[in-house]
């Protein structure tokens, strides 16, 4: 991953400000903005390196974009770099959101605000479904993958089984099927 | 400051951090389960309002966590929840990044990645379903959810526009 590392020096301030910008750019997910900043604007990573950082981030638990910031920060400035990048990423969105919710709390009793929020909630649920459907596209021709996705959906969504049990039961099954179909 | 509640916020999100395989979107049902049904920090209606606000503001999806923390224990709760949600997974990511190159081409790693993809799809679909059940009680709300999902899948419309249109339709009393 570091074989093709760009020769430039990336400071803690660079990491902090770059991720500060990423944090403020995205609505409903900031990964596309992170890619543009890392690959196209700053050229800290090649497209292949970005894919690899992303796949490691998705492989591990935790918010994917926070994992990306930890990996990029580590790469250039070790532990302080990871802290600068992840704090830069979350700082402004948290300030904006907590300001927003404080204002919202003042107006939440007005019926028009309640109705608008209800509309946004209904659409936001639709966006979440669309994310799942888009992610399902590459899997839909493989029967066992569709089966695993549907069982996990039914267990969590319909039966409301706690996540830990579902992961403990389904991850090994999925792994065995993935191993067999290598 | 309510220290027992802050401690409980920290405990719940430290666990959720390590359970959040597939990212923050994948643990929405588990967050709802723990925050609404186990801890009683907020109602289902609050939960859907907080989710809507987190989507209407810029930043990563994981921000919903700070609003749950805020509901439970104010501004300090928001920070505690966010740090707890990110710290364990970040430590793990940092450590794994140190050794990643050694096993990135290992067959077990590739199989793990193949295995996680359908699990994640199932989890996020469940998130969409649980949100829909939490939010929608009338046919027009279900319709709004369905139409938004279809538009978002079929077109490249920016999500923010869809949320803005839904806010206007909602304010007019149509959703």
């Amino acid at each position: 991953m570091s074989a093709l590392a760009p020769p430039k020096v990336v400071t803690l301030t660079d990491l902090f400000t770059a991720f500060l910008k990423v944090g403020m750019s995205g609505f409903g997910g900031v990964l596309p903005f992170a890619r543009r900043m890392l690959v196209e604007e700053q050229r800290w990573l090649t497209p292949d390196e970005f894919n690899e950082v992303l796949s490691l981030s998705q492989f591990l638990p935790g918010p994917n974009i926070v994992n990306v910031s930890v990996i990029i920060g580590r790469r250039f400035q070790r532990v302080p770099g990871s802290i600068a990048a992840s704090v830069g990423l979350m700082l402004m969105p948290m300030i904006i959101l907590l300001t927003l919710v404080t204002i919202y709390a003042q107006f939440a009793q007005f019926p028009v605000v309640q109705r608008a929020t209800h509309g946004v909630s209904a659409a936001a649920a639709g966006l979440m479904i669309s994310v799942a459907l888009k992610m399902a596209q590459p899997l839909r021709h493989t029967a066992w993958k569709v089966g695993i996705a549907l069982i996990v959906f039914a267990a969590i969504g319909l039966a409301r089984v706690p996540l830990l049990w579902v992961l403990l039961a389904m991850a090994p099954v999925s792994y065995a099927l993935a191993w067999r179909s290598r | 400051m309510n220290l027992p509640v802050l401690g409980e916020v920290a405990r719940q999100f430290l666990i959720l951090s390590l359970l959040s395989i597939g990212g923050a979107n994948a643990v929405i049902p588990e967050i709802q389960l723990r925050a609404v049904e186990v801890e009683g920090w907020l109602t289902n209606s609050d939960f859907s309002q907080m989710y809507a606000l987190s989507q209407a503001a810029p930043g990563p999806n994981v921000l919903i966590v700070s609003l749950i923390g805020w509901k439970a224990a104010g501004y300090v709760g928001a920070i505690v929840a966010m740090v707890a949600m990110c710290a364990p997974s970040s430590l793990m990511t940092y450590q794994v990044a140190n050794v990643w190159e050694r096993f990135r081409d290992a067959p077990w790693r590739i199989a793990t990645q193949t295995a996680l993809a359908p699990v994640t799809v199932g989890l996020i679909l469940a998130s969409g379903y649980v949100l829909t059940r939490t939010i929608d009680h009338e046919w027009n709300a279900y319709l709004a959810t369905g139409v938004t999902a279809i538009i978002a899948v079929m077109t490249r419309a920016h999500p923010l526009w869809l949320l803005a249109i839904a806010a206007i339709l909602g304010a007019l009393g149509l959703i």
Side-chain angles (χ1 to χ4, degrees):
Chain A
M1 200 149 84
S2 54
L4 289 166
K8 68 173 84 170
V9 175
V10 177
T11 65
L12 290 177
T13 315
D14 294 338
L15 287 165
F16 181 82
T17 49
F19 277 97
L20 193 73
K21 221 175 111 190
V22 168
M24 286 191 291
S25 7
F27 286 88
V30 296
L31 273 174
F33 299 92
R35 186 184 185 282
R36 190 158 73 194
M37 183 277 286
L38 290 166
V39 178
E40 289 160 33
E41 290 173 15
Q42 305 282 359
R43 295 173 187 269
W44 290 346
L45 299 179
T46 66
D48 285 347
E49 287 172 319
F50 179 80
N51 288 349
E52 196 163 311
V53 168
L54 186 61
S55 82
L56 173 57
S57 303
Q58 291 170 334
F59 177 81
L60 293 166
N64 295 334
I65 183 65
V66 176
N67 288 347
V68 167
S69 72
V70 167
I71 296 168
I72 304 297
R74 170 193 165 274
R75 179 178 175 138
F76 294 111
Q77 295 286 343
R78 312 302 295 174
V79 172
S82 293
I83 294 170
S86 54
V87 171
L89 176 70
M90 298 311 297
L91 186 66
M92 287 313 289
M94 270 195 78
I95 292 173
I96 293 169
L97 188 58
L98 290 175
T99 307
L100 193 69
V101 78
T102 306
I103 297 168
Y104 174 81
Q106 306 296 311
F107 293 96
Q109 78 272 26
F110 292 107
V112 66
V113 174
Q114 286 171 5
R115 288 199 306 264
T117 312
H118 186 66
V120 172
S121 310
L127 290 177
M128 181 73 89
I129 293 170
S130 78
V131 170
L133 294 178
K134 284 183 202 170
M135 287 178 70
Q137 290 287 332
L139 316 178
R140 70 183 196 282
H141 297 300
T142 314
W144 71 265
K145 290 180 182 173
V146 174
I148 294 281
L150 288 177
I151 293 168
V152 170
F153 163 73
I156 299 276
L158 306 178
R160 300 309 308 269
V161 179
L163 179 57
L164 181 63
W165 304 125
V166 176
L167 290 177
L168 287 177
M170 293 312 292
V173 175
S174 192
Y175 182 81
L177 291 162
W179 185 262
R180 255 185 39 168
S181 64
R182 268 181 309 150
Chain B
M1 203 183 300
N2 191 338
L3 283 178
V5 176
L6 282 176
E8 199 58 18
V9 169
R11 190 179 73 85
Q12 290 291 11
F13 284 107
L14 287 168
I15 298 168
L16 278 158
S17 178
L18 292 173
L19 287 179
S20 61
I21 288 167
N25 277 346
V27 283
I28 292 290
E30 189 71 11
I31 294 176
Q32 191 261 357
L33 203 65
R34 286 165 185 259
V36 177
E37 284 164 36
V38 176
E39 300 282 359
W41 290 327
L42 68 178
T43 64
N44 268 329
S45 161
D46 293 332
F47 186 83
S48 71
Q49 286 170 34
M50 293 302 114
Y51 186 74
L53 280 179
S54 75
Q55 292 301 297
N61 295 319
V62 65
L63 282 164
I64 175 69
V65 161
S66 71
L67 292 184
I68 307 291
W70 179 80
K71 268 283 181 186
Y75 296 105
V76 180
I79 294 165
V80 167
M82 189 56 92
V83 171
M85 183 70 185
C86 296
S89 56
S90 294
L91 283 172
M92 193 172 173
T93 301
Y94 193 95
Q95 296 303 326
V96 173
N98 283 329
V99 294
W100 179 247
E101 281 178 62
R102 232 179 296 157
F103 63 75
R104 97 185 131 177
D105 295 321
W108 67 264
R109 198 209 55 81
I110 296 161
T112 307
Q113 202 162 348
T114 310
L116 286 179
V119 173
T120 304
V121 168
L123 290 175
I124 294 179
L125 196 59
S127 294
Y129 178 78
V130 168
L131 284 171
T132 306
R133 288 302 303 265
T134 308
I135 293 159
D136 300 349
H137 305 291
E138 310 271 346
W139 66 268
N140 44 2
Y142 282 107
L143 186 67
T145 299
V147 170
T148 306
I150 291 166
I151 295 175
V153 169
M154 309 288 278
T155 72
R156 296 174 60 88
H158 196 288
L160 200 56
W161 283 114
L162 300 177
L163 296 181
I165 293 166
I168 294 167
L169 293 177
L172 295 172
L174 297 170
I175 296 179

